[in-house]
Amino acid sequence: MKPTNPRLAKKHTKAPKKTLGEFIIENQNQFGYSTGELSRLLNAIKLASKAVNHEVNKAGLVDIIGSTNQINHSNEEQQKLDVFANQVFKRALINRQIVCGFASEEEDDFVVISSSKNNSQNNYVILIDPLDGSSNIDTNASVGTIFSIYRRVTSSDKPVSESDFLQKGINQVAAGYILYGTSTMLVYTTGFGVNGFTLNPALGTFYLSHPNMKYPSSGNIYSINEGNYFHFPKGIKKYIKYCQENKNGRPYTSRYIGSLVSDFHRNLIKGGVYLYPSTLKNPNGKLRLLYECNPIAFLSEQAGGAATNGKGRILEISTEELHQRTPFYCGNKAMVKEIDNFLKLS
Ligand code: P6P
C-alpha cells in the first residue's frame, strides 16, 4: 500500500472549524437566564451583517456610496450605506421580535418594539453604530458595525423606556463588531472572553478563526488623529511626544485608519492603544459612549486590556443621554495606564 503522504494526511485530518452558529449554541447555557433569546439575537446580527457586507463589498459598483445630503443628530453627514446598514439591522431585529428596543447612531431617539407576542419574550435592548467609519466608504477603507446588548431593566409588561438604554457599560450582556475589511469578521463577547469569526463568502458562513482573543503582553502602536494636536489636553500632547521618543531603542509606531473598529482590531492583534481625547470641536470627545465606547471597552477588558476616559473605567460611566460623548482611551492595559498617568500629572 502506498505510504500516506504525512503532509496530506495531516491536512485531511484537521478538524473542520466551528461555525458561529455552532459556537453560539454551544455557549448559550453560559447564560443562566437566557432562554435562547440571546442566541436568536446574535443569529439575527449574523444574518444582517452578511447583507451589509454584500452591499459594502460592491459599494463602488452601485449608487450606494456617497452622502444622502442628510445630517443626523450628531451633525454628521449620513452616508447612503449608513442609512442602508441601519435599516438592515433594524429590520432584522424587529422582524424577529427578539428585542424590545433598538437605538442607533442613525436614529434620533430609541425605537420601541412592541411585540404582538407577549412582551415577556423580548428582554433585550440593542444599541448600534450601523456603519462606523463610514466617511471612509468612498476610499475603500475598512468600516464596521458596532453593537451593544443589555437586558431590559423595566417590567416586561410595559413598552421599553429610556432607562433600559441608559445603563452603565458594566451591565452589557453582549457586545461586538463586524469588520468589513480585507476579510469580513464578526468579533464578540458575552462576558466569557472574546472570539473572532471570519466569513467564508463562498459559503456565507462565519467560522471561528480567532478563539479567545487576548492583547499581546505589550504594545507599541498608538492610534490618534494628530491633526488635532494643538487642541489636545496637555497630558495627551506630552504622551504623543513620549510615544515619539526612543524606548528600548525605538519610538512607538503611529497607525490611524480613522475607523474605530479597524484601529481597535489591529491594536488588539498587534498590541497598541487608541486615543480620541477631547478637542476644541468636541470638548467631551467625539465618540459615543453607548454604541461605540461601551461595547469596545467591554471587548477590550475581556481581552485583557483596558478602556478609560482618562479618569476612570469607561464601563463605569453613568449615562445621562442616548448620544452622550466621552473622551476614549482603549488598548493594552499598560499603555492605557501610561496615558492615564500623563493626564493625571498634567
Ligand atoms: P476623526 C468615525 O467617524 C469615528 O467615529 C471613528 O470610527 C474614528 O476612529 C473617528 O470617528 C475618526 O474621527 O476626527 O479622526 O476623523
Side-chain angles (χ1 to χ4, degrees):
M1 191 170 139
K2 213 166 54 161
T4 312
N5 173 335
R7 195 169 50 78
L8 279 178
K10 189 162 174 297
K11 189 170 157 199
H12 291 305
T13 52
K14 202 182 277 182
K17 287 194 184 305
K18 198 170 289 182
T19 69
L20 174 56
E22 290 161 349
F23 186 89
I24 290 172
I25 289 169
E26 230 173 69
N27 292 284
Q28 72 177 1
N29 54 13
Q30 282 169 349
F31 265 73
Y33 45 71
S34 166
T35 55
E37 266 180 290
L38 189 63
S39 303
R40 288 207 313 280
L41 174 44
L42 291 170
N43 276 309
I45 290 168
K46 176 180 72 165
L47 190 68
S49 66
K50 291 182 197 174
V52 172
N53 177 61
H54 181 67
E55 289 305 311
V56 166
N57 283 346
K58 63 176 189 178
L61 297 175
V62 294
D63 178 26
I64 197 160
I65 57 174
S67 167
T68 60
N69 299 321
Q70 303 292 319
I71 301 290
N72 66 16
H73 61 83
S74 301
N75 205 23
E76 290 168 355
E77 241 184 352
Q78 280 188 311
Q79 304 293 324
K80 290 178 186 169
L81 262 179
D82 272 339
V83 174
F84 170 79
N86 189 58
Q87 292 308 330
V88 168
F89 277 94
K90 187 158 71 169
R91 204 168 32 244
L93 294 162
I94 291 176
N95 290 352
R96 283 166 184 72
Q97 296 182 343
I98 303 170
V99 294
C100 53
F102 173 89
S104 162
E105 177 166 57
E106 303 309 325
E107 305 274 350
D108 288 352
D109 204 348
F110 62 87
V111 176
V112 177
I113 297 159
S114 49
S115 150
S116 51
K117 282 192 306 187
N118 164 3
N119 241 3
S120 63
Q121 299 291 318
N122 313 332
N123 290 307
Y124 296 98
V125 295
I126 186 166
L127 302 97
I128 74 165
D129 183 350
L131 210 62
D132 180 72
S134 54
S135 55
N136 290 309
I137 290 169
D138 46 5
T139 62
N140 207 18
S142 302
V143 292
T145 297
I146 309 172
F147 61 89
S148 170
I149 299 168
Y150 292 87
R151 200 166 166 77
R152 71 179 297 173
V153 291
T154 56
S155 158
S156 59
D157 57 6
K158 293 191 183 66
V160 71
S161 66
E162 191 170 52
S163 57
D164 292 305
F165 295 90
L166 301 187
Q167 300 187 50
K168 283 188 178 180
I170 46 173
N171 293 348
Q172 291 173 101
V173 292
Y177 57 80
I178 298 96
L179 176 57
Y180 310 102
T182 39
S183 62
T184 297
M185 280 194 71
L186 189 151
V187 178
Y188 82 99
T189 182
T190 57
F192 298 87
V194 177
N195 290 283
F197 300 80
T198 300
L199 179 67
N200 176 334
L203 302 177
T205 305
F206 282 98
Y207 287 93
L208 180 62
S209 52
H210 298 67
N212 194 25
M213 297 178 81
K214 294 286 182 194
Y215 281 102
S217 53
S218 63
N220 69 359
I221 295 172
Y222 70 106
S223 308
I224 187 169
N225 181 346
E226 295 192 41
N228 296 316
Y229 180 84
F230 286 110
H231 305 303
F232 285 150
K234 206 186 310 174
I236 296 300
K237 289 180 179 174
K238 287 183 180 171
Y239 175 72
I240 290 173
K241 292 306 165 202
Y242 164 76
C243 290
Q244 293 162 349
E245 290 162 1
N246 274 348
K247 291 170 283 308
N248 305 323
R250 52 162 298 179
Y252 285 169
T253 296
S254 173
R255 289 284 182 277
Y256 190 68
I257 300 173
S259 170
L260 169 60
V261 173
S262 310
D263 283 315
F264 172 78
H265 188 76
R266 182 211 46 251
N267 292 347
L268 171 56
I269 289 172
K270 292 187 177 286
V273 68
Y274 171 96
L275 305 88
Y276 209 106
S278 57
T279 62
L280 190 67
K281 184 181 169 199
N282 293 300
N284 295 318
K286 172 184 182 186
L287 299 190
R288 307 295 180 173
L289 174 62
L290 281 177
Y291 41 77
E292 290 176 325
C293 300
N294 272 338
I296 296 296
F298 188 15
L299 289 160
S300 187
E301 290 196 3
Q302 283 288 311
T308 74
N309 62 355
K311 297 190 182 83
R313 281 174 80 197
I314 287 288
L315 297 180
E316 297 276 3
I317 297 177
S318 299
T319 317
E320 312 304 329
E321 61 103 11
L322 208 49
H323 302 291
Q324 181 171 326
R325 298 176 193 264
T326 177
F328 188 56
Y329 308 105
C330 173
N332 275 79
K333 200 172 277 186
M335 295 184 83
V336 172
K337 188 122 192 70
E338 277 178 340
I339 295 168
D340 288 353
N341 289 338
F342 272 93
L343 284 164
K344 268 190 206 103
L345 297 174
S346 299

